[in-house]
Amino acid sequence: MNAYLEILRPFNALMGVIAVLLVAIISGNFTIYVPIACVIVFIFTGAGNAINDYVDHKIDAINKPERPIPSGRISLRAAAIYSITLFTISTIMALVIGIIPGIIVILSAILMFLYAYRLKKTCLIGNMSIAFLTGFCFVFAGVVLETVFLSVLLGFYAFLMTMAREIVKDMEDVEGDSAEGASTFPIRYGMRTSSILAAVFMIVASLTSPLLFFIGIFNIIYLIVLLFAIILFLACALSILRDQSLNNTRKVSKRIKIGMGIVFLAFALGSPFLTNLFL
């Protein structure tokens, strides 16, 4: 993969695009702003990943030496310019849509820079920042497509799932983070306590997400597909509670990501708009 594409972590950035598409599908509101919002979110998320790799190049040299910067495929200066350019493009595009979307992107960019330079090494605050930005992809789409209440609900569950994964990822990266003097939750409170907190987020998300069916947001298809995600999340919670080894944290992190994908699929398949479209 081309290094300049790889540093964006395109599959990660596509999660934000999926958030926009899900809001459009669930609300049934398809306008010209949908593809524009998708591009904005993809570029912004990619820019955030690039600046994060720029700041974390020393940590990545230990934890993930194959990434573009520590592997020498992209220089530090080029990565910084690339990231700032992408942030600028996404901001201009958002301002073209409207003042409020533009303000959201600007504030999110500020939070992303704070995360990369300061908050990431701060216990839980860094995790909450990334989880907030993930959930805010839904809210951004809701503002653009004028369906804010729905987007806030979806963003809340994205926040819970992302918090669980962020904590597990910190458990995975303890060695490199310790070398850089970071104060992540696992470093400060230990792997066992971290596993409990990650499990709590997974369990809360699992037990409360069916409420979206009972309050009439989704139909029965949502509940059926969601069941697979719930089983996976609960299995991940039990797994991380039993075993906090590096090998297992990596496995659980990947499985949580799969679980998030299943939840997003449940959102789409369980939306009344999509069901009516095919029935």
Side-chain angles (χ1 to χ4, degrees):
M1 184 185 294
N2 179 276
Y4 283 92
L5 179 60
E6 184 181 337
I7 200 171
L8 301 181
R9 294 181 221 165
F11 295 109
N12 181 290
L14 280 174
M15 294 292 281
V17 173
I18 290 172
V20 176
L21 293 176
L22 283 172
V23 173
I25 290 171
I26 297 166
S27 65
N29 186 5
F30 290 91
T31 68
I32 187 60
Y33 293 126
V34 174
I36 296 175
C38 286
V39 173
I40 292 170
V41 170
F42 183 88
I43 293 175
F44 176 88
T45 305
N49 289 331
I51 199 64
N52 192 59
D53 279 10
Y54 171 85
V55 174
D56 283 352
H57 66 279
K58 291 183 181 179
I59 293 176
D60 287 342
I62 299 173
N63 292 331
K64 293 161 186 174
E66 74 283 356
R67 283 186 170 173
I69 295 176
S71 66
R73 288 176 292 147
I74 295 180
S75 69
L76 279 173
R77 183 173 182 275
I81 294 172
Y82 187 43
S83 177
I84 292 171
T85 300
L86 293 176
F87 273 126
T88 302
I89 292 172
S90 62
T91 300
I92 292 172
M93 291 181 67
L95 287 169
V96 169
I97 293 178
I99 294 298
I100 295 179
I103 291 174
I104 289 174
V105 170
I106 291 170
L107 293 177
S108 297
I110 292 171
L111 179 57
M112 182 62 77
F113 272 95
L114 287 173
Y115 167 79
Y117 280 95
R118 295 288 181 186
L119 301 180
K120 183 176 182 179
K121 296 181 180 181
T122 305
C123 181
L124 278 188
I125 302 298
N127 305 123
M128 293 177 66
S129 299
I130 289 298
F132 177 81
L133 286 168
T134 301
F136 221 51
C137 288
F138 287 93
V139 177
F140 173 75
V143 169
V144 172
L145 301 178
E146 299 180 344
T147 177
V148 177
F149 176 72
L150 169 65
S151 67
V152 169
L153 289 176
L154 302 183
F156 172 71
Y157 284 100
F159 174 87
L160 291 178
M161 294 182 288
T162 304
M163 275 297 295
R165 186 163 184 265
E166 283 294 308
I167 294 169
V168 173
K169 283 171 62 182
D170 278 352
M171 295 170 68
E172 180 184 344
D173 292 341
V174 160
E175 182 181 350
D177 289 341
S178 296
E180 281 299 303
S183 180
T184 62
F185 195 85
I187 291 173
R188 191 165 181 178
Y189 296 104
M191 299 290 272
R192 177 60 180 171
T193 303
S194 299
S195 71
I196 294 172
L197 185 60
V200 166
F201 278 107
M202 285 185 267
I203 292 169
V204 170
S206 298
L207 296 183
T208 62
S209 52
L211 290 174
L212 297 181
F213 163 74
F214 293 107
I215 64 176
I217 301 295
F218 298 110
N219 57 38
I220 190 64
I221 298 176
Y222 162 76
L223 211 54
I224 295 171
V225 178
L226 181 69
L227 180 62
F228 292 95
I230 290 175
I231 292 172
L232 182 56
F233 281 134
L234 293 179
C236 285
L238 289 174
S239 179
I240 201 67
L241 286 171
R242 291 173 179 168
D243 181 5
Q244 295 92 45
S245 67
L246 176 62
N247 184 52
N248 194 52
T249 55
R250 286 175 175 169
K251 289 180 181 179
V252 171
S253 178
K254 291 178 181 177
R255 289 170 184 168
I256 293 173
K257 199 168 186 176
I258 293 171
M260 291 176 71
I262 296 173
V263 172
F264 289 166
L265 181 63
F267 285 165
L269 296 180
S271 65
F273 173 80
L274 198 63
T275 302
N276 295 335
L277 190 65
F278 290 101
L279 294 181

